[in-house]
Amino acid sequence: MTDHPPLSERVITLVKHPQFYWWCGHVCLVFNAILYFTSVLSLHPYTGYYKRAHAGSLISYGIVIWKSVGIPRRFDMEFIGNENVQYFAIAFYWYSYQPITVTLVPFFIFSLFHMFAYIPSAIIPAIYPKDGDSTVVQTCRSIKQYTDEHHEMAMQLAAYVEVVGVLGQLLLGVISFQTSILALIVFVHFLRLRYYLSPYTREALHETTVKLDQWILPLAQDSRRWAQISCKLYVNIKAIVVRYGSATTPNNSHRNSRVTSSSSRSNSNSDSHGGSSPRSSESTLRR
């Protein structure tokens, strides 16, 4: 058996690395989100849990941005196009805005996977570094296998929650005058950026559009006035959204396509749940 440094030295080495605090941010988000969801179900929502959960996401994304691009000297398109910057910005907006429960769900899904992925790669080896111990090895293997097997499903679920859950909630809030239209505009722009970077977001948007077309477009043949008005309103809104979403230069579109293709290759060729840096782990799982 290989000699290992004392436990205190191993722990000190662990906590000196920025990735540990990246992980702590995810832990903060997961546990405070669970507490907030519980308080909502008990009909006594506690805003403090909501704020702390989004604060945890700000910590994690802030560390990733700091390690990947450093402190920005200028806010150019390359910086704004960074997906971690985009999620940091939307997390900060939700942190500053009134609580909207569904906005926590995508962050909760991402952070749950990051939290579990870091345990076998860093936490367990630092606390219990026994070479060849079957229990430790099996535990690490089981955690990694679970995160790998459910990665695709989690990313798809998060994308659908963003498109259907968050966007739907904001639309209903604006219609009922309970949500600022600015919140809707901010999130629509966020989804537009995600559309060009994330295949999961594109799939969710396309599938949702197909379902809405199947439900609403037949109303044009309905003799009732409200049905025809609803259909016409939907068609006009859809046209506006399509024009807004396609308002990009060919160079940007080509660049985003290459970014997405590169991201997919990175996701398939790298082990995002091993001893990776916050930058690679965050980026790979996010897509």
Side-chain angles (χ1 to χ4, degrees), residues 12 34 68 71 76 93 106 110 133 148 163 168 185 200-201 224 254 281:
I12 290 174
I34 292 174
S68 59
I71 299 176
D76 54 13
Y93 186 81
F110 298 138
D133 186 285
D148 288 345
V163 172
I185 294 173
Y200 301 109
T201 302
R224 289 171 294 184
H254 178 66
S281 180

Side-chain angles (χ1 to χ4, degrees), residues 2 19 201 211 218 228 241 261:
T2 306
Q19 189 176 9
T201 302
K211 292 294 184 183
Q228 295 178 359
V241 171
S261 176

Side-chain angles (χ1 to χ4, degrees), residues 201-217:
T201 302
R202 283 197 297 275
E203 179 184 352
L205 282 168
H206 289 159
E207 290 293 329
T208 302
T209 302
V210 168
K211 292 294 184 183
L212 289 175
D213 287 348
Q214 293 175 350
W215 293 340
I216 300 178
L217 292 183

Side-chain angles (χ1 to χ4, degrees), residues 37 41 55 77-78 101 103-104 108 123 125 130 154 165 168 188 198 204 227 236 252:
F37 295 152
L41 291 175
M77 290 305 299
E78 183 178 356
T101 304
T103 63
L104 271 178
F108 175 77
I123 300 295
K130 288 192 175 181
V188 166
S198 171
N236 290 335
N252 282 341

Side-chain angles (χ1 to χ4, degrees), residues 256-287:
N256 287 329
S257 297
R258 287 189 287 107
V259 169
T260 304
S261 176
S262 173
S263 301
S264 301
R265 289 195 300 270
S266 172
N267 188 29
S268 60
N269 295 334
S270 63
D271 181 6
S272 64
H273 305 298
S276 56
S277 67
R279 177 186 178 186
S280 62
S281 180
E282 192 84 21
S283 298
T284 305
L285 185 57
R286 179 67 60 196
R287 299 182 185 93

Side-chain angles (χ1 to χ4, degrees), residues 33-49:
I34 292 174
L35 291 173
Y36 182 71
F37 295 152
T38 304
S39 69
V40 170
L41 291 175
S42 66
L43 303 181
H44 293 86
Y46 180 59
T47 306
Y49 294 141

